[in-house]
Amino acid sequence: MTPWDGGIQQLKRDALFRELTLRTPGPRFSDGDRLVTNFATNDYLGLTQDDRVKAAALEAIRRFGTGSASSRLLGGHFAVHEELESVLAEWKGTEKALVFSSGYAANVGVLTALTGPDDGIFSDALNHASIIDGCRLSRATVQVYPHGDIDYLASLLAKTPLKGRRFIVSDGVFSMDGDIAPLRQLIELVERFDAWLVVDDAHGHGVVGRFGRGVVDALDIHHERVVQVGTLSKALASQGGFITGSRALIDWIVNSARSFIFSTGLAPAAAAAAMKAVEIIRTEPSRQTRLQQYITQVLTALGRPLPRVSTPIIPLLVGTADRALHVAGALWEEGVWAPAIRPPTVPVGTSRIRISLSAAHQPAEIETLVEVLKRLGMGGTSVDGITG
Ligand code: PMP
């Protein structure tokens, strides 16, 4: 008997226990003598398997070695970091950029560095866990507003007494729903309440906006009070996180974000791979175009409206955790790997299948996906035809 046995048994009873399952990378993999299509990754453009991205990582290992070996502020700041940061800043059209060892560390770092006990953070209820943890560590007053509810947020901003500054924080693309934040309305609130906006566009970069610049660009927002966070780990095919903004902002973060200061610099291979991925994203828009075609095809087949900015994350709402596992199992039998997403990743009662499309999928695989979803009675925004 260990102290954790009770908790483990409870998770199993609630269909919330998770196990690591060995997978092979890429948009499809073998399971015995059949091929399963992988709709579970965030490799939206398929660049993790691109030979040029791999070659860039290998070359960085040759030049710099396998690790940065210390904090960037000590001995771990190499030319490859500086080059990546100037590429990111130029791509995003900001003065400066700063990379972290993960998107998680970037969100925690930015929120804790920018806010303190006098300040207020106003956070969307469906924001990513790394934002939630950044809020918790910040010691600011944290107010959570219902997902996308601008009126509620405005009332919170108006009635929360604060000595310091107000920060609104939101995912750009919501990771489990695929919808985008109402950034234009959020900017109006920034102006009305003299606030700041932090946007975590982990799932938008590389996928939406001109040259894959993300959701802030897709909505044509240019505002000096916007701090953008991103990850190198999804469409950018690598590992790491980043923020973009003014020189002063970055100087402040370098001096105060503990997840930056007290963590080893990003591995050189990861930095070089991301840099090559950004170059490909900027110069070869065909992947974004193909991905958008797939998104349109699947949304249309499911009878869903086409939003102004559509993303490759397509949720099928199921309800309970065990039903989600059952539906994922049924899809698996049909050669479709689309995982069940359960609490605490999503709120209780909103377990779902998360389908994530990639430009690396073949047209025939998208057709099969659509055919399987229809055959299993999955359409609209929820799953109605399958009994669990
Ligand atoms: N923000 C969002 C919205 C995410 O979905 C994720 C990853 N799931 C992160 C941040 C964290 O990024 P990383 O994986 O690079 O730590």
Side-chain angles (χ1 to χ4, degrees), residues 150-318:
I150 293 294
D151 293 338
Y152 197 98
L153 171 58
S155 71
L156 280 180
L157 284 160
K159 74 178 185 211
T160 309
L162 291 167
K163 275 196 250 154
R165 283 183 279 269
R166 290 167 163 72
F167 290 82
I168 302 167
V169 59
S170 178
D171 281 13
V173 174
F174 286 87
S175 56
M176 296 300 138
D177 293 79
D179 58 331
I180 64 162
L183 295 181
R184 294 201 148 276
Q185 287 117 299
L186 294 180
I187 287 288
E188 279 169 28
L189 296 184
V190 162
E191 291 186 341
R192 201 162 120 206
F193 292 96
D194 192 23
W196 289 76
L197 176 62
V198 179
V199 181
D200 169 16
D201 205 13
H203 297 270
H205 287 125
V207 172
V208 300
R210 287 161 300 162
F211 305 100
R213 284 195 199 111
V215 78
V216 171
D217 180 87
L219 295 179
D220 213 10
I221 288 167
H222 309 273
H223 201 282
E224 56 185 15
R225 290 261 177 126
V226 178
V227 178
Q228 295 190 59
V229 182
T231 176
L232 308 177
S233 334
K234 302 189 193 295
L236 271 55
S238 182
Q239 182 118 28
F242 65 94
I243 64 162
T244 58
S246 68
R247 178 175 299 274
L249 174 92
I250 301 296
D251 283 348
W252 178 250
I253 303 272
V254 166
N255 281 277
S256 51
R258 294 166 65 85
S259 61
F260 176 82
I261 299 169
F262 298 105
S263 190
T264 299
L266 185 68
M275 194 153 62
K276 181 55 82 177
V278 172
E279 184 192 315
I280 294 172
I281 289 167
R282 292 175 81 179
T283 53
E284 297 178 11
S286 59
R287 284 176 192 74
Q288 277 116 281
T289 310
R290 183 158 66 248
L291 184 56
Q292 284 300 329
Q293 282 164 357
Y294 289 163
I295 297 166
T296 304
Q297 187 182 342
V298 175
L299 289 180
T300 309
L302 293 177
R304 297 201 191 169
L306 289 178
R308 177 169 165 211
V309 180
S310 45
T311 77
I313 302 166
I314 301 181
L316 300 168
L317 238 55
V318 170

